[in-house]
Amino acid sequence: MLIRPADDADDAAIWRVLEPTVRAGETLMLPPQMDQAAAISYWRQPNHHAFVLEESSDVLGTYYLRANQQGHGSHVANCGYATAAWAAGRGIARAMCLYSLEQARALGFAAMQFNCVVASNERAVGLWRSCGFEVVGRVPDTFRHPELGYVDTLVMYRRL
Amino acid sequence: MLIRPADDADDAAIWRVLEPTVRAGETLMLPPQMDQAAAISYWRQPNHHAFVLEESSDVLGTYYLRANQQGHGSHVANCGYATAAWAAGRGIARAMCLYSLEQARALGFAAMQFNCVVASNERAVGLWRSCGFEVVGRVPDTFRHPELGYVDTLVMYRRL
C-alpha cells in the first residue's frame, strides 16, 4: 500500500471510490445525487490536502486533511475518508487514518476532530475509537439515514 | 430595530461591526488579521444568507444563516452572529438569534446547531442557553484564546 498526494490525474479514480458511498447516502454529509465534478470540487477544494491510497496502481481509498477551523482554531486538523467498496475489510480506512494522524502531527496540528460521524456507522465509530478518538459530543437527529430515519451524529476527537 | 437581508451596499457597515470582533480574536473562528474583502467573502459566501440588524439606518449587528451540512444533514441550520461593540448590552444578539430561529423554522429546518462556541465566551453561552440551546458536546482545547490560552469549544443545539 502506498499513500500519496492526489493530483488531477486521480480525479476519475477518486470518484470511483467516492461514488458508491455518496450514492448510498449513509455515512457522508454529501448530496447522494452529486456528480463527479461537484464531488471532486468538494474533496479536492483549495484548503483540503487530498491523498489516495493505492496498491498495484489501483486507488483503493482516498482522504483529505485540512484545518478544521480558521484563525485561533487552526491547530486542530480534520479529515474525511472513503474506502473503495470492493476493498472493504482490508484495513484501508485504518491505514489511511493512522497515516493521516502522523501527517497531521508532522504538520504541527495539536489534535484531530471529526465533526459529524454518523452514529449508526458503527464500523467507523469503532475504528476511530481504536485509533484513539473519543466521543466528545452527540448531536441529536442530525442525519437523515435513508433506511433508519433520523440518527445522531458524533463529534470525535483525539490529541496528537 | 429592523432585520433585513444584507446586500453589497452593506459590506462596509458589516465590516465595521465585524472588524473589532475579528481583531480581538476571542470569539470567532476567523483569522484576527483578516481584511475586509476576506471577511466579507466569508460572511456573505454563496451558501450563507446574510442579514443586518439596523436602527435609524445604523447597522448594529449582522448574522448569516445556512445549512450546517449538505446532503442528509441539510435539515439542520447554523448561524454566526456579530454585534457592534458600541451597541453591546442592548439585546442585539438576542434579537438576531430569536429572529434567525423563526427564519430557520420558516425555511423548513428542523434544528439549529452551533459548531464551535468558545467556552470562555460566557456571555454568548448564557445567551444561547436562554434562547433554548443546550450544550451537546465539549471539545477540549480547540481554541487558542489570546489571553487565556487553550480553551474548549462547545457544540450547542436546539430543535425548532
Side-chain angles (χ1 to χ4, degrees):
Chain A
M1 285 181 192
L2 167 73
I3 293 175
R4 60 165 178 80
D7 63 30
D8 292 350
D10 296 310
D11 285 354
I14 290 173
W15 179 237
R16 278 195 294 277
V17 171
L18 284 180
E19 187 177 9
T21 306
V22 168
R23 297 283 179 256
E26 296 182 350
T27 55
L28 295 179
M29 294 282 180
L30 295 173
Q33 67 283 12
M34 165 176 248
D35 66 12
Q36 175 176 333
I40 295 296
S41 288
Y42 173 80
W43 204 256
R44 297 188 57 216
Q45 64 187 269
N47 65 332
H48 285 193
H49 302 281
F51 297 89
V52 291
L53 179 151
E54 62 182 13
E55 196 175 62
S56 311
S57 302
D58 280 341
V59 170
L60 301 182
T62 180
Y63 65 97
Y64 63 78
L65 170 64
R66 61 168 189 151
N68 198 42
Q69 299 289 345
Q70 301 185 72
H72 290 162
S74 66
H75 59 293
V76 180
N78 170 252
C79 287
Y81 309 88
T83 299
W86 63 92
R90 290 176 46 191
I92 307 289
R94 176 183 301 277
M96 292 192 294
C97 183
L98 294 176
Y99 195 75
S100 68
L101 289 167
E102 288 303 322
Q103 289 176 309
R105 198 176 284 121
L107 288 165
F109 288 106
M112 191 178 290
Q113 177 177 342
F114 300 150
N115 302 306
C116 42
V117 179
V118 178
S120 57
N121 188 4
E122 290 172 13
R123 187 167 179 159
V125 176
L127 175 56
W128 307 147
R129 281 191 196 277
S130 77
C131 292
F133 286 81
E134 284 177 274
V135 174
V136 296
R138 184 175 191 109
V139 199
D141 294 343
T142 27
F143 189 75
R144 298 189 309 275
H145 190 286
E147 315 235 311
L148 304 174
Y150 289 99
V151 299
D152 300 346
T153 58
L154 307 178
V155 182
M156 300 186 75
Y157 170 90
R158 69 157 286 174
R159 294 183 193 276
L160 297 176
Chain B
M1 284 181 193
L2 166 74
I3 292 175
R4 61 165 177 79
D7 63 31
D8 292 350
D10 297 311
D11 285 353
I14 290 174
W15 179 236
R16 279 195 293 277
V17 171
L18 284 179
E19 186 177 10
T21 307
V22 168
R23 297 283 179 254
E26 296 182 350
T27 55
L28 295 177
M29 293 284 181
L30 295 173
Q33 67 282 14
M34 167 176 246
D35 65 12
Q36 176 176 332
I40 295 297
S41 289
Y42 173 80
W43 204 256
R44 297 189 56 216
Q45 64 189 269
N47 65 332
H48 286 192
H49 302 280
F51 297 88
V52 291
L53 178 151
E54 62 183 13
E55 195 175 64
S56 310
S57 302
D58 279 341
V59 171
L60 302 181
T62 180
Y63 65 97
Y64 63 79
L65 169 65
R66 61 168 189 152
N68 197 42
Q69 299 288 345
Q70 302 184 71
H72 290 162
S74 65
H75 59 295
V76 180
N78 169 252
C79 286
Y81 309 88
T83 299
W86 64 91
R90 290 177 45 193
I92 307 290
R94 177 183 303 276
M96 293 192 293
C97 183
L98 294 176
Y99 195 74
S100 69
L101 288 167
E102 288 304 321
Q103 289 175 309
R105 199 177 284 121
L107 288 165
F109 288 106
M112 192 179 291
Q113 177 177 343
F114 300 149
N115 302 304
C116 41
V117 179
V118 178
S120 57
N121 189 3
E122 289 172 14
R123 188 167 178 159
V125 175
L127 175 56
W128 307 147
R129 281 189 195 278
S130 76
C131 291
F133 287 81
E134 283 177 275
V135 174
V136 295
R138 184 175 191 108
V139 200
D141 293 343
T142 27
F143 188 75
R144 298 189 309 276
H145 191 286
E147 314 234 312
L148 304 173
Y150 288 98
V151 300
D152 301 346
T153 58
L154 308 178
V155 182
M156 300 188 73
Y157 169 91
R158 70 156 286 175
R159 293 183 194 277
L160 296 177

mmCIF file with all atom_site columns, all heavy atoms in Angstrom, chain B residues 66-89:
data_model
loop_
_atom_site.group_PDB
_atom_site.id
_atom_site.type_symbol
_atom_site.label_atom_id
_atom_site.label_alt_id
_atom_site.label_comp_id
_atom_site.label_asym_id
_atom_site.label_entity_id
_atom_site.label_seq_id
_atom_site.pdbx_PDB_ins_code
_atom_site.Cartn_x
_atom_site.Cartn_y
_atom_site.Cartn_z
_atom_site.occupancy
_atom_site.B_iso_or_equiv
_atom_site.pdbx_formal_charge
_atom_site.auth_seq_id
_atom_site.auth_comp_id
_atom_site.auth_asym_id
_atom_site.auth_atom_id
_atom_site.pdbx_PDB_model_num
ATOM 1   N N   . ARG B 1 66 ? -27.345 29.428 7.410  1.00 0.00 ? 66 ARG B N   1
ATOM 2   C CA  . ARG B 1 66 ? -27.023 28.457 6.347  1.00 0.00 ? 66 ARG B CA  1
ATOM 3   C C   . ARG B 1 66 ? -27.398 27.065 6.822  1.00 0.00 ? 66 ARG B C   1
ATOM 4   O O   . ARG B 1 66 ? -27.669 26.850 8.006  1.00 0.00 ? 66 ARG B O   1
ATOM 5   C CB  . ARG B 1 66 ? -25.522 28.499 6.035  1.00 0.00 ? 66 ARG B CB  1
ATOM 6   C CG  . ARG B 1 66 ? -24.681 28.123 7.245  1.00 0.00 ? 66 ARG B CG  1
ATOM 7   C CD  . ARG B 1 66 ? -23.212 27.875 6.892  1.00 0.00 ? 66 ARG B CD  1
ATOM 8   N NE  . ARG B 1 66 ? -22.539 27.322 8.065  1.00 0.00 ? 66 ARG B NE  1
ATOM 9   C CZ  . ARG B 1 66 ? -21.479 26.529 8.024  1.00 0.00 ? 66 ARG B CZ  1
ATOM 10  N NH1 . ARG B 1 66 ? -20.951 26.192 6.867  1.00 0.00 ? 66 ARG B NH1 1
ATOM 11  N NH2 . ARG B 1 66 ? -20.946 26.051 9.128  1.00 0.00 ? 66 ARG B NH2 1
ATOM 12  N N   . ALA B 1 67 ? -27.377 26.107 5.899  1.00 0.00 ? 67 ALA B N   1
ATOM 13  C CA  . ALA B 1 67 ? -27.458 24.705 6.288  1.00 0.00 ? 67 ALA B CA  1
ATOM 14  C C   . ALA B 1 67 ? -26.101 24.305 6.850  1.00 0.00 ? 67 ALA B C   1
ATOM 15  O O   . ALA B 1 67 ? -25.064 24.629 6.267  1.00 0.00 ? 67 ALA B O   1
ATOM 16  C CB  . ALA B 1 67 ? -27.809 23.842 5.080  1.00 0.00 ? 67 ALA B CB  1
ATOM 17  N N   . ASN B 1 68 ? -26.109 23.621 7.988  1.00 0.00 ? 68 ASN B N   1
ATOM 18  C CA  . ASN B 1 68 ? -24.837 23.270 8.626  1.00 0.00 ? 68 ASN B CA  1
ATOM 19  C C   . ASN B 1 68 ? -24.078 22.226 7.832  1.00 0.00 ? 68 ASN B C   1
ATOM 20  O O   . ASN B 1 68 ? -22.857 22.197 7.862  1.00 0.00 ? 68 ASN B O   1
ATOM 21  C CB  . ASN B 1 68 ? -25.095 22.769 10.045 1.00 0.00 ? 68 ASN B CB  1
ATOM 22  C CG  . ASN B 1 68 ? -23.842 22.772 10.902 1.00 0.00 ? 68 ASN B CG  1
ATOM 23  O OD1 . ASN B 1 68 ? -23.060 23.719 10.851 1.00 0.00 ? 68 ASN B OD1 1
ATOM 24  N ND2 . ASN B 1 68 ? -23.644 21.716 11.661 1.00 0.00 ? 68 ASN B ND2 1
ATOM 25  N N   . GLN B 1 69 ? -24.797 21.352 7.143  1.00 0.00 ? 69 GLN B N   1
ATOM 26  C CA  . GLN B 1 69 ? -24.175 20.311 6.325  1.00 0.00 ? 69 GLN B CA  1
ATOM 27  C C   . GLN B 1 69 ? -24.951 20.188 5.026  1.00 0.00 ? 69 GLN B C   1
ATOM 28  O O   . GLN B 1 69 ? -26.090 20.643 4.936  1.00 0.00 ? 69 GLN B O   1
ATOM 29  C CB  . GLN B 1 69 ? -24.204 18.951 7.055  1.00 0.00 ? 69 GLN B CB  1
ATOM 30  C CG  . GLN B 1 69 ? -23.453 18.918 8.371  1.00 0.00 ? 69 GLN B CG  1
ATOM 31  C CD  . GLN B 1 69 ? -21.935 18.962 8.221  1.00 0.00 ? 69 GLN B CD  1
ATOM 32  O OE1 . GLN B 1 69 ? -21.404 18.736 7.127  1.00 0.00 ? 69 GLN B OE1 1
ATOM 33  N NE2 . GLN B 1 69 ? -21.249 19.262 9.307  1.00 0.00 ? 69 GLN B NE2 1
ATOM 34  N N   . GLN B 1 70 ? -24.347 19.529 4.065  1.00 0.00 ? 70 GLN B N   1
ATOM 35  C CA  . GLN B 1 70 ? -25.023 19.202 2.823  1.00 0.00 ? 70 GLN B CA  1
ATOM 36  C C   . GLN B 1 70 ? -25.746 17.857 2.968  1.00 0.00 ? 70 GLN B C   1
ATOM 37  O O   . GLN B 1 70 ? -25.640 17.184 3.987  1.00 0.00 ? 70 GLN B O   1
ATOM 38  C CB  . GLN B 1 70 ? -24.006 19.058 1.703  1.00 0.00 ? 70 GLN B CB  1
ATOM 39  C CG  . GLN B 1 70 ? -23.134 20.268 1.436  1.00 0.00 ? 70 GLN B CG  1
ATOM 40  C CD  . GLN B 1 70 ? -22.239 20.015 0.228  1.00 0.00 ? 70 GLN B CD  1
ATOM 41  O OE1 . GLN B 1 70 ? -22.708 19.963 -0.904 1.00 0.00 ? 70 GLN B OE1 1
ATOM 42  N NE2 . GLN B 1 70 ? -20.953 19.844 0.458  1.00 0.00 ? 70 GLN B NE2 1
ATOM 43  N N   . GLY B 1 71 ? -26.413 17.472 1.901  1.00 0.00 ? 71 GLY B N   1
ATOM 44  C CA  . GLY B 1 71 ? -26.975 16.122 1.815  1.00 0.00 ? 71 GLY B CA  1
ATOM 45  C C   . GLY B 1 71 ? -27.910 15.794 2.963  1.00 0.00 ? 71 GLY B C   1
ATOM 46  O O   . GLY B 1 71 ? -28.808 16.585 3.285  1.00 0.00 ? 71 GLY B O   1
ATOM 47  N N   . HIS B 1 72 ? -27.688 14.654 3.585  1.00 0.00 ? 72 HIS B N   1
ATOM 48  C CA  . HIS B 1 72 ? -28.611 14.174 4.615  1.00 0.00 ? 72 HIS B CA  1
ATOM 49  C C   . HIS B 1 72 ? -28.436 14.858 5.966  1.00 0.00 ? 72 HIS B C   1
ATOM 50  O O   . HIS B 1 72 ? -29.046 14.444 6.949  1.00 0.00 ? 72 HIS B O   1
ATOM 51  C CB  . HIS B 1 72 ? -28.500 12.652 4.726  1.00 0.00 ? 72 HIS B CB  1
ATOM 52  C CG  . HIS B 1 72 ? -29.071 11.937 3.532  1.00 0.00 ? 72 HIS B CG  1
ATOM 53  N ND1 . HIS B 1 72 ? -28.778 10.637 3.220  1.00 0.00 ? 72 HIS B ND1 1
ATOM 54  C CD2 . HIS B 1 72 ? -29.927 12.353 2.568  1.00 0.00 ? 72 HIS B CD2 1
ATOM 55  C CE1 . HIS B 1 72 ? -29.425 10.283 2.111  1.00 0.00 ? 72 HIS B CE1 1
ATOM 56  N NE2 . HIS B 1 72 ? -30.126 11.324 1.698  1.00 0.00 ? 72 HIS B NE2 1
ATOM 57  N N   . GLY B 1 73 ? -27.621 15.910 5.967  1.00 0.00 ? 73 GLY B N   1
ATOM 58  C CA  . GLY B 1 73 ? -27.511 16.737 7.163  1.00 0.00 ? 73 GLY B CA  1
ATOM 59  C C   . GLY B 1 73 ? -28.089 18.123 6.947  1.00 0.00 ? 73 GLY B C   1
ATOM 60  O O   . GLY B 1 73 ? -27.992 18.989 7.822  1.00 0.00 ? 73 GLY B O   1
ATOM 61  N N   . SER B 1 74 ? -28.740 18.330 5.794  1.00 0.00 ? 74 SER B N   1
ATOM 62  C CA  . SER B 1 74 ? -29.143 19.690 5.401  1.00 0.00 ? 74 SER B CA  1
ATOM 63  C C   . SER B 1 74 ? -30.400 20.200 6.100  1.00 0.00 ? 74 SER B C   1
ATOM 64  O O   . SER B 1 74 ? -30.833 21.322 5.844  1.00 0.00 ? 74 SER B O   1
ATOM 65  C CB  . SER B 1 74 ? -29.356 19.747 3.887  1.00 0.00 ? 74 SER B CB  1
ATOM 66  O OG  . SER B 1 74 ? -30.449 18.916 3.528  1.00 0.00 ? 74 SER B OG  1
ATOM 67  N N   . HIS B 1 75 ? -30.985 19.395 6.988  1.00 0.00 ? 75 HIS B N   1
ATOM 68  C CA  . HIS B 1 75 ? -32.168 19.851 7.733  1.00 0.00 ? 75 HIS B CA  1
ATOM 69  C C   . HIS B 1 75 ? -31.782 20.582 9.019  1.00 0.00 ? 75 HIS B C   1
ATOM 70  O O   . HIS B 1 75 ? -32.649 20.982 9.797  1.00 0.00 ? 75 HIS B O   1
ATOM 71  C CB  . HIS B 1 75 ? -33.077 18.660 8.071  1.00 0.00 ? 75 HIS B CB  1
ATOM 72  C CG  . HIS B 1 75 ? -32.374 17.610 8.888  1.00 0.00 ? 75 HIS B CG  1
ATOM 73  N ND1 . HIS B 1 75 ? -31.322 16.886 8.383  1.00 0.00 ? 75 HIS B ND1 1
ATOM 74  C CD2 . HIS B 1 75 ? -32.548 17.196 10.163 1.00 0.00 ? 75 HIS B CD2 1
ATOM 75  C CE1 . HIS B 1 75 ? -30.890 16.040 9.310  1.00 0.00 ? 75 HIS B CE1 1
ATOM 76  N NE2 . HIS B 1 75 ? -31.615 16.216 10.407 1.00 0.00 ? 75 HIS B NE2 1
ATOM 77  N N   . VAL B 1 76 ? -30.492 20.751 9.256  1.00 0.00 ? 76 VAL B N   1
ATOM 78  C CA  . VAL B 1 76 ? -30.024 21.443 10.454 1.00 0.00 ? 76 VAL B CA  1
ATOM 79  C C   . VAL B 1 76 ? -29.389 22.764 10.037 1.00 0.00 ? 76 VAL B C   1
ATOM 80  O O   . VAL B 1 76 ? -28.496 22.785 9.180  1.00 0.00 ? 76 VAL B O   1
ATOM 81  C CB  . VAL B 1 76 ? -29.012 20.584 11.239 1.00 0.00 ? 76 VAL B CB  1
ATOM 82  C CG1 . VAL B 1 76 ? -28.541 21.324 12.496 1.00 0.00 ? 76 VAL B CG1 1
ATOM 83  C CG2 . VAL B 1 76 ? -29.631 19.235 11.602 1.00 0.00 ? 76 VAL B CG2 1
ATOM 84  N N   . ALA B 1 77 ? -29.856 23.840 10.631 1.00 0.00 ? 77 ALA B N   1
ATOM 85  C CA  . ALA B 1 77 ? -29.340 25.174 10.313 1.00 0.00 ? 77 ALA B CA  1
ATOM 86  C C   . ALA B 1 77 ? -28.135 25.503 11.183 1.00 0.00 ? 77 ALA B C   1
ATOM 87  O O   . ALA B 1 77 ? -27.890 24.867 12.216 1.00 0.00 ? 77 ALA B O   1
ATOM 88  C CB  . ALA B 1 77 ? -30.431 26.214 10.527 1.00 0.00 ? 77 ALA B CB  1
ATOM 89  N N   . ASN B 1 78 ? -27.402 26.509 10.746 1.00 0.00 ? 78 ASN B N   1
ATOM 90  C CA  . ASN B 1 78 ? -26.267 27.026 11.501 1.00 0.00 ? 78 ASN B CA  1
ATOM 91  C C   . ASN B 1 78 ? -26.237 28.534 11.289 1.00 0.00 ? 78 ASN B C   1
ATOM 92  O O   . ASN B 1 78 ? -26.570 29.013 10.204 1.00 0.00 ? 78 ASN B O   1
ATOM 93  C CB  . ASN B 1 78 ? -24.963 26.386 10.995 1.00 0.00 ? 78 ASN B CB  1
ATOM 94  C CG  . ASN B 1 78 ? -23.716 27.065 11.556 1.00 0.00 ? 78 ASN B CG  1
ATOM 95  O OD1 . ASN B 1 78 ? -23.007 27.774 10.852 1.00 0.00 ? 78 ASN B OD1 1
ATOM 96  N ND2 . ASN B 1 78 ? -23.444 26.846 12.824 1.00 0.00 ? 78 ASN B ND2 1
ATOM 97  N N   . CYS B 1 79 ? -25.865 29.277 12.317 1.00 0.00 ? 79 CYS B N   1
ATOM 98  C CA  . CYS B 1 79 ? -25.740 30.729 12.187 1.00 0.00 ? 79 CYS B CA  1
ATOM 99  C C   . CYS B 1 79 ? -24.453 31.205 12.831 1.00 0.00 ? 79 CYS B C   1
ATOM 100 O O   . CYS B 1 79 ? -23.903 30.540 13.719 1.00 0.00 ? 79 CYS B O   1
ATOM 101 C CB  . CYS B 1 79 ? -26.893 31.437 12.907 1.00 0.00 ? 79 CYS B CB  1
ATOM 102 S SG  . CYS B 1 79 ? -28.478 31.344 12.068 1.00 0.00 ? 79 CYS B SG  1
ATOM 103 N N   . GLY B 1 80 ? -23.987 32.363 12.371 1.00 0.00 ? 80 GLY B N   1
ATOM 104 C CA  . GLY B 1 80 ? -22.924 33.099 13.050 1.00 0.00 ? 80 GLY B CA  1
ATOM 105 C C   . GLY B 1 80 ? -23.405 34.529 13.235 1.00 0.00 ? 80 GLY B C   1
ATOM 106 O O   . GLY B 1 80 ? -24.007 35.093 12.309 1.00 0.00 ? 80 GLY B O   1
ATOM 107 N N   . TYR B 1 81 ? -23.161 35.100 14.401 1.00 0.00 ? 81 TYR B N   1
ATOM 108 C CA  . TYR B 1 81 ? -23.679 36.427 14.748 1.00 0.00 ? 81 TYR B CA  1
ATOM 109 C C   . TYR B 1 81 ? -22.545 37.349 15.175 1.00 0.00 ? 81 TYR B C   1
ATOM 110 O O   . TYR B 1 81 ? -21.572 36.899 15.780 1.00 0.00 ? 81 TYR B O   1
ATOM 111 C CB  . TYR B 1 81 ? -24.637 36.332 15.938 1.00 0.00 ? 81 TYR B CB  1
ATOM 112 C CG  . TYR B 1 81 ? -25.732 35.304 15.815 1.00 0.00 ? 81 TYR B CG  1
ATOM 113 C CD1 . TYR B 1 81 ? -25.516 33.990 16.218 1.00 0.00 ? 81 TYR B CD1 1
ATOM 114 C CD2 . TYR B 1 81 ? -26.975 35.639 15.296 1.00 0.00 ? 81 TYR B CD2 1
ATOM 115 C CE1 . TYR B 1 81 ? -26.515 33.032 16.123 1.00 0.00 ? 81 TYR B CE1 1
ATOM 116 C CE2 . TYR B 1 81 ? -27.987 34.687 15.194 1.00 0.00 ? 81 TYR B CE2 1
ATOM 117 C CZ  . TYR B 1 81 ? -27.743 33.383 15.605 1.00 0.00 ? 81 TYR B CZ  1
ATOM 118 O OH  . TYR B 1 81 ? -28.737 32.441 15.505 1.00 0.00 ? 81 TYR B OH  1
ATOM 119 N N   . ALA B 1 82 ? -22.696 38.631 14.915 1.00 0.00 ? 82 ALA B N   1
ATOM 120 C CA  . ALA B 1 82 ? -21.765 39.619 15.467 1.00 0.00 ? 82 ALA B CA  1
ATOM 121 C C   . ALA B 1 82 ? -22.532 40.901 15.769 1.00 0.00 ? 82 ALA B C   1
ATOM 122 O O   . ALA B 1 82 ? -23.368 41.340 14.968 1.00 0.00 ? 82 ALA B O   1
ATOM 123 C CB  . ALA B 1 82 ? -20.633 39.900 14.484 1.00 0.00 ? 82 ALA B CB  1
ATOM 124 N N   . THR B 1 83 ? -22.227 41.462 16.922 1.00 0.00 ? 83 THR B N   1
ATOM 125 C CA  . THR B 1 83 ? -22.883 42.699 17.360 1.00 0.00 ? 83 THR B CA  1
ATOM 126 C C   . THR B 1 83 ? -21.847 43.819 17.378 1.00 0.00 ? 83 THR B C   1
ATOM 127 O O   . THR B 1 83 ? -20.692 43.587 17.741 1.00 0.00 ? 83 THR B O   1
ATOM 128 C CB  . THR B 1 83 ? -23.443 42.517 18.789 1.00 0.00 ? 83 THR B CB  1
ATOM 129 O OG1 . THR B 1 83 ? -24.406 41.474 18.767 1.00 0.00 ? 83 THR B OG1 1
ATOM 130 C CG2 . THR B 1 83 ? -24.104 43.795 19.292 1.00 0.00 ? 83 THR B CG2 1
ATOM 131 N N   . ALA B 1 84 ? -22.263 45.001 16.993 1.00 0.00 ? 84 ALA B N   1
ATOM 132 C CA  . ALA B 1 84 ? -21.371 46.167 17.059 1.00 0.00 ? 84 ALA B CA  1
ATOM 133 C C   . ALA B 1 84 ? -20.923 46.388 18.497 1.00 0.00 ? 84 ALA B C   1
ATOM 134 O O   . ALA B 1 84 ? -21.756 46.375 19.416 1.00 0.00 ? 84 ALA B O   1
ATOM 135 C CB  . ALA B 1 84 ? -22.093 47.406 16.546 1.00 0.00 ? 84 ALA B CB  1
ATOM 136 N N   . ALA B 1 85 ? -19.607 46.601 18.679 1.00 0.00 ? 85 ALA B N   1
ATOM 137 C CA  . ALA B 1 85 ? -19.070 46.797 20.030 1.00 0.00 ? 85 ALA B CA  1
ATOM 138 C C   . ALA B 1 85 ? -19.786 47.953 20.725 1.00 0.00 ? 85 ALA B C   1
ATOM 139 O O   . ALA B 1 85 ? -20.074 47.899 21.927 1.00 0.00 ? 85 ALA B O   1
ATOM 140 C CB  . ALA B 1 85 ? -17.567 47.057 19.952 1.00 0.00 ? 85 ALA B CB  1
ATOM 141 N N   . TRP B 1 86 ? -20.108 48.988 19.951 1.00 0.00 ? 86 TRP B N   1
ATOM 142 C CA  . TRP B 1 86 ? -20.724 50.190 20.537 1.00 0.00 ? 86 TRP B CA  1
ATOM 143 C C   . TRP B 1 86 ? -22.203 50.005 20.879 1.00 0.00 ? 86 TRP B C   1
ATOM 144 O O   . TRP B 1 86 ? -22.816 50.889 21.459 1.00 0.00 ? 86 TRP B O   1
ATOM 145 C CB  . TRP B 1 86 ? -20.530 51.399 19.626 1.00 0.00 ? 86 TRP B CB  1
ATOM 146 C CG  . TRP B 1 86 ? -21.217 51.278 18.284 1.00 0.00 ? 86 TRP B CG  1
ATOM 147 C CD1 . TRP B 1 86 ? -22.487 51.688 17.990 1.00 0.00 ? 86 TRP B CD1 1
ATOM 148 C CD2 . TRP B 1 86 ? -20.687 50.704 17.087 1.00 0.00 ? 86 TRP B CD2 1
ATOM 149 N NE1 . TRP B 1 86 ? -22.778 51.403 16.682 1.00 0.00 ? 86 TRP B NE1 1
ATOM 150 C CE2 . TRP B 1 86 ? -21.693 50.800 16.097 1.00 0.00 ? 86 TRP B CE2 1
ATOM 151 C CE3 . TRP B 1 86 ? -19.464 50.117 16.741 1.00 0.00 ? 86 TRP B CE3 1
ATOM 152 C CZ2 . TRP B 1 86 ? -21.513 50.318 14.786 1.00 0.00 ? 86 TRP B CZ2 1
ATOM 153 C CZ3 . TRP B 1 86 ? -19.293 49.648 15.454 1.00 0.00 ? 86 TRP B CZ3 1
ATOM 154 C CH2 . TRP B 1 86 ? -20.299 49.748 14.492 1.00 0.00 ? 86 TRP B CH2 1
ATOM 155 N N   . ALA B 1 87 ? -22.753 48.825 20.560 1.00 0.00 ? 87 ALA B N   1
ATOM 156 C CA  . ALA B 1 87 ? -24.171 48.573 20.863 1.00 0.00 ? 87 ALA B CA  1
ATOM 157 C C   . ALA B 1 87 ? -24.326 47.384 21.813 1.00 0.00 ? 87 ALA B C   1
ATOM 158 O O   . ALA B 1 87 ? -25.415 46.836 21.953 1.00 0.00 ? 87 ALA B O   1
ATOM 159 C CB  . ALA B 1 87 ? -24.931 48.327 19.568 1.00 0.00 ? 87 ALA B CB  1
ATOM 160 N N   . ALA B 1 88 ? -23.230 47.000 22.472 1.00 0.00 ? 88 ALA B N   1
ATOM 161 C CA  . ALA B 1 88 ? -23.283 45.847 23.382 1.00 0.00 ? 88 ALA B CA  1
ATOM 162 C C   . ALA B 1 88 ? -24.269 46.109 24.520 1.00 0.00 ? 88 ALA B C   1
ATOM 163 O O   . ALA B 1 88 ? -24.446 47.255 24.953 1.00 0.00 ? 88 ALA B O   1
ATOM 164 C CB  . ALA B 1 88 ? -21.892 45.562 23.945 1.00 0.00 ? 88 ALA B CB  1
ATOM 165 N N   . GLY B 1 89 ? -24.902 45.055 24.991 1.00 0.00 ? 89 GLY B N   1
ATOM 166 C CA  . GLY B 1 89 ? -25.779 45.162 26.155 1.00 0.00 ? 89 GLY B CA  1
ATOM 167 C C   . GLY B 1 89 ? -27.177 45.640 25.838 1.00 0.00 ? 89 GLY B C   1
ATOM 168 O O   . GLY B 1 89 ? -27.984 45.855 26.750 1.00 0.00 ? 89 GLY B O   1
#
